[in-house]
């Protein structure tokens, strides 16, 4: 049976810059959006809020749904990645709660798209989608018999 990993990601923008989290993977510095796996008994939106807080220390509500990417990692691991948009009025200080996150950075779209240190190509693709794609209301994601 096919069982892809279900993940959520927050594309966080403020004053023309995007928030990335920096962590060391296999000895290399990598950038990612605040992102992580969906947990049991958790809605997609609550997972996005939790991951944002754990990885950045920021409490914020996703404002819209950007899209879903189906992706296969180079090692063959399949993923479904739900991307959410959070547009903030100003750049906020960060304080990662997750020990795996070394720091957070506010960087331009060009810096992300041109970076050689992305955790996956979905990091840049999410920025391109943010720039070019419509946003969808969160209500498009229906929860059936799950807590809010």
């Amino acid at each position: 049976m096919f069982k892809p990993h279900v993940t959520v990601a927050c594309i966080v923008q403020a004053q023309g810059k995007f928030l990335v989290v920096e962590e060391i993977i296999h000895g290399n510095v990598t950038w990612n959006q605040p992102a992580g796996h969906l947990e049991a008994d958790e809605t997609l939106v609550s997972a996005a809020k939790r991951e944002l807080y754990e990885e950045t220390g920021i409490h914020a509500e996703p404002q819209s749904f950007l899209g879903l990417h189906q992706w296969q990692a180079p090692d063959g691991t399949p993923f479904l990645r739900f991307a959410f948009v959070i547009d903030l009025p100003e750049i906020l200080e960060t304080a990662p709660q997750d020990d795996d996150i070394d720091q957070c950075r506010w960087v331009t779209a060009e810096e992300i798209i041109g970076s050689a240190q992305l955790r996956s190509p979905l990091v840049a693709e999410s920025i391109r989608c943010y720039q070019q794609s419509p946003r969808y209301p969160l209500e498009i994601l229906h929860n059936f018999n799950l807590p809010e």
Side-chain angles (χ1 to χ4, degrees), residues 11 13 16-20 31 33 106-115 118 123-128 130-131:
I11 292 63
Q13 181 279 146
K17 296 209 173 179
F18 293 87
L19 184 60
V20 294
W31 285 359
Q33 276 98 17
W106 289 95
V107 296
T108 65
E110 294 77 22
E111 288 174 292
I112 294 170
I113 292 170
S115 177
L118 302 181
V123 178
E125 183 60 19
S126 295
I127 297 300
R128 286 189 282 274
Y130 177 93
Q131 293 173 323

Side-chain angles (χ1 to χ4, degrees), residues 77-100:
T77 305
F79 286 89
L80 294 175
R81 188 181 200 243
F82 292 81
F84 296 89
V85 172
I86 300 173
D87 285 311
L88 298 173
E90 61 188 14
I91 290 174
L92 300 177
E93 292 292 322
T94 59
Q97 306 298 300
D98 183 334
D99 291 338
D100 291 335

Side-chain angles (χ1 to χ4, degrees), residues 19-90:
L19 184 60
V20 294
V21 298
E22 190 175 281
E23 58 188 325
I24 307 293
I25 306 287
H26 305 298
N28 298 312
V29 174
T30 61
W31 285 359
N32 196 2
Q33 276 98 17
H37 286 85
L38 177 69
E39 302 289 340
D41 297 322
E42 189 173 51
T43 67
L44 292 164
V45 172
S46 64
K49 289 176 7 183
R50 176 185 52 75
E51 287 292 346
L52 177 68
Y53 176 71
E54 287 176 3
E55 295 196 352
T56 70
I58 294 174
H59 288 287
E61 296 284 329
Q63 297 154 341
S64 58
F65 178 60
L66 185 60
L68 168 64
H69 286 101
Q70 183 174 354
W71 181 65
Q72 184 169 308
D75 69 0
T77 305
F79 286 89
L80 294 175
R81 188 181 200 243
F82 292 81
F84 296 89
V85 172
I86 300 173
D87 285 311
L88 298 173
E90 61 188 14

